[in-house]
């Protein structure tokens, strides 16, 4: 595919500019002529003019805006092709490329759901099933708006986790920076004092002083060592993440987070007309843990085998809380499962937000206390030889 920058005059006399992607210049000209009539200019994009990153997945925020705009335009009566073309005008590189690819798929005779299935990396796993349900029920605009709301809520919950992790990361980075400055600039002063007074520090402090002296003489070596340590830390990040998520409190928080995501997604799919087994299959794809995905697959198989929902949920381990299971049981008995799941999702999200507020409230003084104790301990180690020498001096009468 090649990009072409065009300028056309519409039937009402208005000028329109943009970028069109086509197999050839002739194909681009035919498409523009059929859509607008008079083509004024059509120039091939040079390689340095091509937008970067047009094939990456859309972020949750971009997906929310994409599906919101699509739902609004379709609800306003625009055909799908025209709506996608309007959305691609003036949008970012990724959205423009996505709209162009979807237009091409529709022009080849594919449905909207089939077009979404060809671009799951960009639009996500949910768009295909919801668009298919909307095509069958005639509710495509409504389901696109619901999908936008789902991505908005998921972005909100992710932001809560990031905000909770931002403070400790900032404190650790600041502590590391202060430690490097202390090691580089302050410790050499104590090294000179101890050498002048012929004081022999303890082995740990002597090691720090040697590192500080080396840093003063060979700063490039220090920087390369720090870069190596950071690189090793990044490489072992996955290993440390597995350790952190096994901490009971962190594990409970993450389970609560994924329970909320699953419930919201199940509500979205069930309200869109997707059957419960298919909804479970689609919802299980968002889980990061393979073990949890296997639990969801087992739950789907048990439902297809005719087991009641509550018994099938028991195979998911601790993924669904007891309160959520009660709501599921009520929903199955009353025939209002989506409504009951929505209530369970709201209560679980409220409790999750309360827990995150508690985490942030306790984390700030806890980290400050750890930082103060660490700083005090280092200062004591550095000053202890000098204090010991001063205590050994005879008292003046």
């Amino acid at each position: 595919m090649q990009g072409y920058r065009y300028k056309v005059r519409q039937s009402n006399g208005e000028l329109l500019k943009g970028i069109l992607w086509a197999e050839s210049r002739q194909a681009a000209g035919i498409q523009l002529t059929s859509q607008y009539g008079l083509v004024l200019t059509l120039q091939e994009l040079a390689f340095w003019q091509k937008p970067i990153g047009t094939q990456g997945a859309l972020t949750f925020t971009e997906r929310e805006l994409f599906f919101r705009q699509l739902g609004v335009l379709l609800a306003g009566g625009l055909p799908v092709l025209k709506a996608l073309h309007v959305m691609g005008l003036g949008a970012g590189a990724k959205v423009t490329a996505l709209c162009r690819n979807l237009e091409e798929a529709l022009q080849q005779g594919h449905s909207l759901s089939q077009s979404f299935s060809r671009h799951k990396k960009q639009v996500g796993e949910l768009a295909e099933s919801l668009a298919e349900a909307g095509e069958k029920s005639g509710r495509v605009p409504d389901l696109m708006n619901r999908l936008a709301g789902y991505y908005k809520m998921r972005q909100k919950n992710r932001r809560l986790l990031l905000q909770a992790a931002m403070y400790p990361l900032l404190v650790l980075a600041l502590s590391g920076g202060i430690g490097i400055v202390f090691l580089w600039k302050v410790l050499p002063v104590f090294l000179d004092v101890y050498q002048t007074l012929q004081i022999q520090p303890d082995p740990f402090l002597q090691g720090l002083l040697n590192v500080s002296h080396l840093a003063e003489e060979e700063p490039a070596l220090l920087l390369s060592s720090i870069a190596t340590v950071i690189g090793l830390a990044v490489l072992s990040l996955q290993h440390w993440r597995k350790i952190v998520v096994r901490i009971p409190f962190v594990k409970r928080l993450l389970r609560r987070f994924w329970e909320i995501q699953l419930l919201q997604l199940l509500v979205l799919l069930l309200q869109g007309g997707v059957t419960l087994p298919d909804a479970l299959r689609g919802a299980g794809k968002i889980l990061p843990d393979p073990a949890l995905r296997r639990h969801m697959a087992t739950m789907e198989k048990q439902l297809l085998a005719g087991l009641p929902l509550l018994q099938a949920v028991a195979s998911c381990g601790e993924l669904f809380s007891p309160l959520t299971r009660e709501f599921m049981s009520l929903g199955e008995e009353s025939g209002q499962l989506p409504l009951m799941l929505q209530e369970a999702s709201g209560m679980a999200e409220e409790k999750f937000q309360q827990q995150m507020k508690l985490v942030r409230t306790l984390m700030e003084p806890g980290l400050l206390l750890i930082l103060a104790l660490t700083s005090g301990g280092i200062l004591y180690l550095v000053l202890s030889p000098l204090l010991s020498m001063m205590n050994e001096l005879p008292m003046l009468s």
Side-chain angles (χ1 to χ4, degrees):
M1 301 295 291
Q2 176 60 45
Y4 298 91
R5 191 181 302 278
Y6 65 85
K7 181 190 295 186
V8 298
R9 186 178 299 278
Q10 302 185 82
S11 57
N12 59 3
E14 182 181 355
L15 289 176
L16 183 65
K17 300 178 182 179
I19 295 176
L20 175 68
W21 296 82
E23 294 291 345
S24 64
R25 183 185 181 89
Q26 182 181 6
I30 294 174
Q31 182 176 343
L32 290 172
T33 302
S34 62
Q35 288 182 345
Y36 304 107
L38 180 59
V39 179
L40 300 178
T41 60
L42 183 61
Q43 298 177 346
E44 182 177 334
L45 291 178
F47 71 91
W48 64 82
Q49 295 176 311
K50 296 179 182 179
I52 300 174
T54 58
Q55 297 301 318
L58 301 182
T59 64
F60 288 160
T61 302
E62 289 172 335
R63 288 179 185 177
E64 178 201 348
L65 181 60
F66 175 83
F67 290 116
R68 183 85 64 195
Q69 289 178 339
L70 182 59
V72 169
L73 292 175
L74 294 179
L78 281 181
V80 179
L81 268 173
K82 184 64 176 178
L84 290 171
H85 181 74
V86 171
M87 290 168 59
L89 298 177
K94 288 192 291 187
V95 175
T96 299
L98 174 61
C99 291
R100 177 253 306 170
N101 291 332
L102 292 174
E103 284 184 74
E104 292 175 355
L106 290 169
Q107 289 170 348
Q108 293 171 4
H110 298 289
S111 65
L112 181 61
S113 59
Q114 292 171 339
S115 302
F116 282 151
S117 69
R118 300 175 63 180
H119 303 284
K120 288 183 179 180
K121 179 181 178 182
Q122 286 79 27
V123 300
E125 298 282 348
L126 306 177
E128 177 189 1
S129 55
L130 282 176
E132 183 178 1
E135 289 165 348
K136 293 178 180 178
S137 61
R139 299 171 52 205
V140 173
D142 177 53
L143 292 181
M144 292 299 100
N145 284 320
R146 290 178 180 271
L147 185 56
Y150 165 76
Y151 280 118
K152 180 179 181 180
M153 186 61 65
R154 189 166 182 186
Q155 178 66 13
K156 175 185 174 182
N157 291 333
R158 173 181 280 188
R159 193 178 295 115
L160 280 176
L161 289 178
L162 291 177
Q163 288 174 352
M166 189 62 66
Y167 183 79
L169 291 176
L170 181 61
V171 171
L172 290 175
L174 184 61
S175 303
I178 294 175
I180 292 173
V181 173
F182 182 81
L183 184 67
W184 196 345
K185 296 295 183 181
V186 179
L187 273 183
V189 177
F190 287 94
L191 177 61
D192 295 337
V193 171
Y194 290 155
Q195 288 179 346
T196 302
L197 298 177
Q198 297 182 349
I199 298 176
Q200 182 63 34
D202 58 71
F204 178 76
L205 179 57
Q206 183 61 51
L208 288 179
L209 293 173
N210 291 336
V211 171
S212 176
H213 184 65
L214 179 63
E216 186 181 19
E217 293 184 349
E218 299 289 344
L221 180 60
L222 175 65
L223 293 176
S224 63
S225 301
I226 293 174
T228 302
V229 171
I230 294 176
L232 293 175
V234 171
L235 291 176
S236 61
L237 185 62
Q238 185 71 14
H239 175 71
W240 284 106
R241 188 184 70 85
K242 292 180 180 179
I243 295 177
V244 171
V245 298
R246 290 177 183 173
I247 300 174
F249 182 72
V250 176
K251 185 177 181 179
R252 286 196 299 270
L253 275 180
L254 290 176
R255 282 295 177 92
R256 178 76 61 179
F257 173 80
W258 287 114
E259 179 185 8
I260 294 170
Q261 307 308 308
L262 278 176
L263 290 175
Q264 291 173 348
L265 185 50
L266 286 174
V267 170
L268 175 65
L269 293 171
L270 292 175
Q271 289 179 342
V274 180
T275 63
L276 182 55
D278 290 339
L280 290 172
R281 187 186 310 116
K285 294 177 181 179
I286 71 171
L287 294 172
D289 189 350
L292 295 179
R293 291 198 293 270
R294 288 194 294 270
H295 285 318
M296 292 294 289
T298 302
M299 182 178 173
E300 177 195 350
K301 292 177 182 178
Q302 291 178 345
L303 284 175
L304 292 174
L307 288 179
L309 177 60
L310 194 58
Q311 294 183 17
V313 169
S315 64
C316 287
E318 301 176 356
L319 181 57
F320 293 109
S321 65
L323 181 61
T324 298
R325 297 183 187 186
E326 289 297 327
F327 274 99
M328 286 181 171
S329 177
L330 290 174
E332 186 179 28
E333 293 174 0
S334 63
Q336 296 181 338
L337 184 59
L339 179 60
M340 291 296 101
L341 291 180
Q342 192 168 13
E343 292 294 329
S345 171
M347 297 183 67
E349 184 177 3
E350 183 178 352
K351 187 173 182 180
F352 175 74
Q353 291 180 355
Q354 292 175 353
Q355 290 176 333
M356 295 305 298
K357 290 179 181 178
L358 178 62
V359 168
R360 291 197 298 268
T361 302
L362 298 178
M363 188 179 297
E364 295 178 5
L367 286 174
L368 290 177
L369 179 61
I370 294 174
L371 183 59
L373 292 175
T374 304
S375 302
I378 293 176
L379 285 176
Y380 175 77
L381 287 174
V382 171
L383 296 175
S384 58
L386 188 59
L387 295 175
S388 300
M389 184 196 71
M390 294 176 63
N391 291 331
E392 294 174 359
L393 294 176
M395 298 293 294
L396 296 177
S397 58

